Amino acid sequence: MTLIDSVRRNAAKAQNQDGRLELFARGEDNALWHIWQTAPNNGWSGWASLGGNLPGRPVVFQNADQRLEVFARGDDNALWHIWQTAPNNGWSGWESLGGIILGDPTVYQNQDGRLEVFAKGTDNALWHIWQTAPNNGWSGWASLGGNLAGAPTVYANQDGRMEVFARGDDNALWHIWQTAPNNGWSGWASLGGNIPADPVVYANLDGRMEVFARGDDNALWHIWQTAPNNGWSGWESLGGNIPTQPGVFQNQDGRLEVFARGDDSAIWHIWQTAPNNGWSGWASLGGNLPGDPVPYQNQDGRLEVFARGNDNAIWHIWQTAPNNGWSGWASLGGNVPEF
C-alpha cells in the first residue's frame, strides 16, 4: 500500500513517486487547481490549473504504477477523472466515468493495485466503480445498497480487504466490507454512535482501524477494532470542541494524531502518547482558519497540515522534526473556496 490515503474524503493531497507532496483543490472558477513541492520535504511551486468544471471537492490516489489520478463530481453529476501520463509529471485531459452521484466521491486501492471509487447515489445508496486491471480500464457502476446521510470514507484492513464507513440516516456509523481482498462485499452493519458529521478513519501501527467523528456534543469521538480485521470497541469521547470534521494521520513513530478546527477557528490537535493506545490532552496550533485541517506526511516523516484561510488561500504548518515540534503558519496562496 502506498502512502496515498483517503482519510479525508473531501480533500485531495498526495505524494508523487519521487516523494513530493501535491495538493489539489477546486478554484473559484470551478476548475481543478494544483500546487506541488518542487523538492521532497520543502519548497512549493505556484498554483496551476488542470481545467474541468467541478462543483465539489476532488479526491486523489496513486495508481499501481505510481501515477496520480484525480476524481471529482462534474457539473453533470457524473464522475470525472484526470491522471498523470507519467509518474511525477504530465496530465491527461478530463474524461467521464458516468454515473449520477450526490456529494463527493472517495477512492482507495485494492490489494491487487486496482483503484475503486465510491460515492453516494441519488437513491442514497453506496455506488462503486473500479478498474478492471491495475492502471487502466473501468467497470460500470454497481450499487452496494445502504441509506447514507453523508459521504463515504474507505480504508483497508490489515489483510487487504477494503472497508467503507458512512453516516446513516439515523446518524449512526455504518460499515460494509469486502469478504475477500479485491472482490465480494458483506451487507451493511451498524457501529452505533450519534455523529452529525462524516467520519474519518486510519489504521493503528498494529493494523487495527480506528474511526474518528464529531459527536452531537461537538466533542471528538472514536471507535476502534479490538483486533486487526475484525471486532469493534464501543464509542469513547476524546473531548474537545470541534464544530466540523477532523483529520487524522500517523506520525513516523506510529502514533496517530488528530487535527480539528476549534470553535475559536484555531487548529487543535490531540495525539496518541504511545502507538496503538493512550491519548494526550488537546493543544492549539493557532491560526484563524475557516476550513478544516488536512494532515499529510512528508517524505522525511514530518507531518504537515493544510487548511483554507479567511483569504481563501491555503495555509500550512509543519513539524520541525518527525514526531514533535511545529513551525508557524505560512501561506501557499491560491483562491480556493473549498479544500
Side-chain angles (χ1 to χ4, degrees):
M1 187 61 62
T2 68
L3 280 174
I4 311 305
D5 67 283
S6 194
V7 294
R8 271 187 52 90
R9 54 94 186 164
N10 62 352
K13 74 276 188 226
Q15 191 176 62
N16 280 281
Q17 183 191 50
D18 60 12
R20 294 175 302 112
L21 301 188
E22 192 156 349
L23 307 181
F24 302 84
R26 179 174 66 88
E28 62 173 349
D29 58 356
N30 280 355
L32 179 68
W33 289 75
H34 64 142
I35 189 173
W36 55 92
Q37 286 180 328
T38 54
N41 307 314
N42 193 17
W44 289 84
S45 70
W47 286 90
S49 176
L50 287 171
N53 191 347
L54 317 176
R57 297 178 176 96
V59 293
V60 61
F61 216 95
Q62 196 179 73
N63 278 281
D65 61 9
Q66 299 186 308
R67 294 175 302 110
L68 300 185
E69 191 156 350
V70 183
F71 304 86
R73 179 172 58 92
D75 61 349
D76 57 356
N77 284 342
L79 179 69
W80 289 74
H81 65 142
I82 190 172
W83 56 91
Q84 286 181 328
T85 54
N88 307 317
N89 195 15
W91 289 87
S92 71
W94 285 93
E95 286 191 3
S96 175
L97 287 171
I100 302 176
I101 60 175
L102 294 177
D104 301 323
T106 189
V107 58
Y108 214 82
Q109 189 179 67
N110 280 280
Q111 189 183 53
D112 61 11
R114 294 175 303 111
L115 299 188
E116 193 156 346
V117 183
F118 304 85
K120 184 174 75 163
T122 55
D123 57 356
N124 289 341
L126 179 68
W127 288 75
H128 64 142
I129 189 172
W130 56 91
Q131 287 179 328
T132 54
N135 307 315
N136 194 15
W138 290 86
S139 70
W141 285 91
S143 175
L144 288 170
N147 193 347
L148 313 183
T153 188
V154 60
Y155 210 84
N157 280 280
Q158 188 183 56
D159 61 11
R161 294 175 303 112
M162 289 190 295
E163 193 155 345
V164 182
F165 303 85
R167 180 170 55 92
D169 61 352
D170 57 356
N171 276 355
L173 179 68
W174 289 75
H175 64 142
I176 189 172
W177 55 92
Q178 287 180 325
T179 53
N182 308 314
N183 194 16
W185 290 86
S186 70
W188 285 92
S190 175
L191 288 170
N194 190 347
I195 54 172
D198 294 332
V200 295
V201 60
Y202 212 93
N204 280 280
L205 185 65
D206 60 11
R208 294 175 303 111
M209 287 190 290
E210 193 155 347
V211 182
F212 303 86
R214 177 175 64 89
D216 61 351
D217 58 355
N218 280 356
L220 178 68
W221 289 75
H222 65 142
I223 189 172
W224 56 91
Q225 286 181 324
T226 53
N229 308 314
N230 194 17
W232 289 86
S233 71
W235 284 91
E236 287 192 2
S237 175
L238 288 170
N241 190 346
I242 57 171
T244 55
Q245 188 187 39
V248 59
F249 218 90
Q250 190 180 74
N251 278 280
Q252 187 186 54
D253 60 11
R255 294 175 302 111
L256 299 187
E257 192 155 349
V258 182
F259 303 85
R261 179 169 58 90
D263 60 352
D264 58 356
S265 290
I267 300 301
W268 290 73
H269 63 143
I270 189 171
W271 55 91
Q272 287 180 328
T273 53
N276 308 315
N277 194 18
W279 290 86
S280 71
W282 286 91
S284 176
L285 288 171
N288 187 356
L289 308 164
D292 296 337
V294 179
Y296 211 69
Q297 189 180 64
N298 280 281
Q299 188 183 50
D300 60 11
R302 294 176 302 112
L303 297 187
E304 192 156 347
V305 180
F306 306 87
R308 181 175 57 88
N310 286 313
D311 55 358
N312 279 353
I314 298 298
W315 289 72
H316 64 142
I317 191 172
W318 55 91
Q319 287 180 329
T320 53
N323 308 314
N324 195 15
W326 290 87
S327 70
W329 287 93
S331 176
L332 287 172
N335 190 345
V336 295
E338 285 187 298
F339 176 69

